[in-house]
């Protein structure tokens, strides 16, 4: 897998250098200057792909080939394919590639992942040249990279919080950043090479507030939906062709377009629903977060037949906790679903189910002081105050069920 750019060389000899060794144009002829745009390699790959040529065979383009292709109109429907023409200062001809220069591709190389560069010489004479061959020296001065695309990006974020009195709160947040986003002191290769979109919606509610106060239920509820989409600038399989150009090459083919879209996005979606510590509260029926006296006063104001001088009733004395009370029980349920996909993983869906049931009973302390009536001396008060509790003050049990399912394709 490689790209190749070939130029004809102008050889110099002792006769041409005689007395002019200090002339740089004679030692380094302008025709031997290797000045190539990296985009020419990418354009050659695009043209080879749309023409459906064999990847295992060398595909070569030169000035004549490009003139024929653009004149035939085969490439007119592709907006991402194009060579910027220039005027040859010697012949005043409009060219796409310098005369004699050739761009070749074999396999599926990528300018976005270069592993090595080779410089060599090729004898293109069909007769092989003179019997003794050629003898000489090849000088390679230096290799420079210029014309880096220094561009900036933008980013933003927003957040909305809504407080629903005692019911709870709602939250919505979103953020984005575009290609090229980065700090001012970051280099070109350190800036973002992908666009990122993220949004998050969550609700934290006390659903017990929606039920009658006499039920005295506490139902904490939490739900979240979060999604992040990362779209790289370049195709995951062709690191020198942008995703935008891949869509152009697909030419609205639904199958190709869907494939380009799916393989060039990293999508992570999280869906969560939680009911935590759902229980029935002990008390006089005011409900979680409610004032029992205030509830009774509201009822008094709503009753038109009630005597204004009637004294408010005393609140009922809370009953003694018993082991069989339903208030001793609390339940928890949690569900989390995570969906993930990237250029390698087509789909990964995991589901996490959690259920918990807790029992907690606390009795009022009843202890025995065996030495209370036996010891009268104050100096032995520490012995007198020794107490024993034959029955535990609290009993607690917990049961948890976890189920996790993950499917990857």
């Amino acid at each position: 897998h490689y790209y190749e750019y070939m130029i004809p060389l102008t050889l110099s000899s002792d006769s041409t250098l005689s007395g002019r060794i200090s002339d740089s144009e004679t030692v380094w002829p302008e025709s031997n200057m290797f000045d190539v745009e990296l985009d020419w390699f990418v354009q050659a790959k695009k043209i080879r792909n749309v023409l459906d040529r064999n990847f295992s065979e060398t595909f070569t383009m030169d000035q004549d080939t490009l003139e024929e292709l653009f004149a035939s109109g085969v490439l007119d429907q592709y907006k991402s394919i194009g060579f910027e023409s220039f005027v040859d200062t010697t012949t005043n001809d409009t060219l796409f590639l310098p005369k004699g220069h050739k761009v070749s591709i074999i396999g599926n190389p990528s300018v976005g992942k270069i592993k090595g560069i080779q410089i060599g010489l090729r004898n293109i004479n069909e007769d092989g040249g003179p019997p003794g061959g050629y003898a000489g020296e090849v000088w390679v001065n230096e290799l420079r990279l210029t014309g880096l695309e220094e561009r900036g990006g933008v980013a933003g974020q927003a957040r909305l919080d809504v407080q629903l009195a005692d019911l709870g709160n709602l939250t919505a947040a979103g953020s984005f950043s575009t290609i090229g986003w980065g700090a001012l002191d970051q280099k070109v290769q350190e800036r973002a090479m992908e666009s990122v979109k993220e949004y998050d919606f969550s609700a934290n509610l006390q659903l017990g507030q929606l039920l009658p106060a006499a039920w005295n239920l506490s139902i904490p509820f939490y739900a979240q939906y979060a999604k992040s989409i990362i779209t790289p600038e370049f195709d995951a399989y062709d690191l020198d062709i942008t995703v935008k150009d891949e869509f152009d090459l697909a030419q609205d083919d639904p199958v190709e377009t869907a494939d380009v879209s799916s393989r060039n996005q990293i999508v992570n979606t999280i869906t969560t629903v939680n009911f935590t510590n759902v229980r029935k509260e002990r008390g006089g029926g005011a409900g979680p977060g409610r004032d029992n006296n205030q509830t009774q006063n509201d009822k008094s104001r709503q009753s038109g037949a009630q005597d204004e001088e009637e004294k408010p009733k005393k609140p009922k004395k809370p009953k003694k906790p018993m082991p069989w009370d339903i208030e001793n029980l609390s339940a928890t349920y949690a569900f989390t679903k995570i969906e993930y996909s990237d250029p390698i993983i087509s789909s990964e869906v995991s589901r996490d189910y959690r259920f918990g049931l807790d029992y907690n009973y606390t009795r009022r302390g009843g202890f025995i002081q065996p030495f209370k009536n036996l010891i009268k001396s104050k100096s032995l008060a520490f012995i007198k105050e020794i107490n024993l509790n034959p029955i535990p003050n609290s009993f607690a049990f917990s049961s948890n069920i976890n189920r996790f399912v993950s499917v990857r394709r």
Side-chain angles (χ1 to χ4, degrees):
H1 305 275
Y2 62 85
Y3 291 113
E4 182 182 78
Y5 189 76
M6 186 170 62
I7 63 174
L9 290 179
T10 300
L11 301 180
S12 58
S13 62
D14 294 339
S15 59
T16 59
L17 296 177
S18 177
R20 304 179 58 187
I21 193 64
S22 60
D23 190 350
S24 60
E25 294 184 359
T26 304
V27 179
W28 306 101
E30 185 177 355
S31 58
N32 289 350
M33 295 296 179
F34 184 90
D35 187 6
V36 57
E37 293 188 18
L38 297 180
D39 186 59
W40 292 348
F41 296 132
V42 180
Q43 295 297 330
K45 177 190 285 189
K46 293 178 184 178
I47 294 174
R48 190 270 310 267
N49 293 349
V50 299
L51 294 179
D52 199 20
R53 298 296 177 83
N54 194 336
F55 277 38
S56 61
E57 298 178 358
T58 303
F59 177 75
T60 303
M61 295 190 318
D62 56 14
Q63 172 62 24
D64 295 336
T65 304
L66 291 174
E67 284 183 349
E68 294 177 2
L69 288 173
F70 287 116
S72 64
V74 178
L75 306 178
D76 291 348
Q77 57 183 326
Y78 302 101
K79 298 180 181 179
S80 63
I81 297 179
F83 277 77
E84 186 176 351
S85 61
F86 63 94
V87 177
D88 189 345
T89 57
T90 304
T91 61
N92 290 329
D93 293 333
T94 301
L95 305 175
F96 299 107
L97 285 175
K99 286 288 187 178
H101 292 212
K102 297 180 180 180
V103 180
S104 301
I105 176 177
I106 185 171
N108 192 34
S110 174
V111 177
K113 194 174 183 180
I114 298 176
K115 293 184 176 180
I117 300 175
Q118 292 183 344
I119 301 177
L121 298 178
R122 178 180 297 160
N123 185 2
I124 60 176
N125 286 336
E126 296 180 358
D127 57 0
Y134 294 99
E137 297 180 0
V138 178
W139 292 0
V140 178
N141 188 7
E142 59 184 352
L143 186 63
R144 294 183 180 182
L145 179 64
T146 61
L148 297 177
E149 188 174 1
E150 298 186 15
R151 57 185 172 181
V154 296
Q157 60 181 0
R159 182 181 179 89
L160 174 66
D161 293 310
V162 179
Q163 183 66 39
L164 303 176
D166 294 335
L167 181 61
N169 60 77
L170 304 176
T171 301
S175 64
F176 76 96
S177 62
T178 62
I179 297 171
W181 168 254
L184 294 176
D185 58 346
Q186 285 184 324
K187 298 180 180 179
V188 175
Q189 66 272 19
E190 296 175 341
R191 298 173 187 169
M193 298 295 292
E194 67 279 334
S195 61
V196 181
K197 297 178 182 178
E198 296 177 334
Y199 52 89
D200 187 332
F201 302 95
S202 63
N204 192 2
L205 306 174
Q206 174 54 264
L207 298 183
Q209 297 285 347
L210 302 176
L211 302 176
W215 293 9
N216 216 29
L217 290 177
S218 174
I219 309 177
F221 170 78
Y222 176 79
Q224 180 190 26
Y225 181 82
K227 189 171 186 177
S228 66
I229 303 174
I230 301 176
T231 305
E233 179 180 11
F234 293 94
D235 186 89
Y237 300 152
D238 283 321
L239 297 178
D240 50 4
I241 300 180
T242 63
V243 176
K244 181 179 178 181
D245 290 350
E246 288 286 7
F247 281 112
D248 175 63
L249 298 178
Q251 285 296 297
D252 297 329
D253 185 335
V255 178
E256 288 291 334
T257 302
D259 180 60
V260 172
S261 179
S262 62
R263 75 170 184 251
N264 288 301
Q265 283 189 338
I266 300 176
V267 182
N268 191 30
T269 306
I270 301 175
T271 305
T272 301
V273 177
N274 292 343
F275 292 91
T276 307
N277 198 19
V278 177
R279 66 193 184 279
K280 187 178 186 303
E281 298 280 4
R282 298 185 185 274
R290 299 175 182 175
D291 187 353
N292 190 44
N293 294 329
Q294 181 180 358
T295 304
Q296 292 182 355
N297 293 336
D298 292 340
K299 292 181 178 179
S300 299
R301 286 193 297 267
Q302 294 174 1
S303 176
Q306 185 175 4
D307 187 4
E308 296 180 357
E309 297 181 358
E310 182 180 356
K311 296 181 179 179
K313 296 181 180 181
K314 293 183 179 179
K316 295 181 180 180
K317 184 179 180 179
K319 65 178 183 178
K320 181 180 178 181
M322 302 303 291
W324 51 80
D325 290 343
I326 194 174
E327 289 85 353
N328 298 330
L329 295 174
S330 64
T332 297
Y333 172 78
F335 169 73
T336 301
K337 179 181 178 182
I338 300 177
E339 300 173 274
Y340 177 82
S341 64
D342 62 19
I344 299 176
I345 300 175
S346 174
S347 174
E348 181 179 11
V349 181
S350 62
R351 294 178 175 87
D352 189 7
Y353 304 86
R354 296 177 182 269
F355 177 77
L357 184 63
D358 297 329
Y359 174 85
N360 193 342
Y361 168 66
T362 302
R363 57 183 291 273
R364 295 178 181 178
F367 53 86
I368 301 173
Q369 293 179 308
F371 306 110
K372 181 178 181 180
N373 298 323
L374 298 177
I375 298 177
K376 304 297 182 180
S377 174
K378 293 183 178 181
S379 60
L380 299 177
F382 68 96
I383 298 178
K384 179 181 178 180
E385 294 176 356
I386 293 176
N387 61 81
L388 301 175
N389 195 346
I391 302 177
N393 288 336
S394 63
F395 299 86
F397 303 95
S398 179
S399 177
N400 295 297
I401 301 175
N402 298 338
R403 181 171 180 259
F404 181 80
V405 180
S406 180
V407 179
R408 175 182 290 184
R409 293 188 291 112

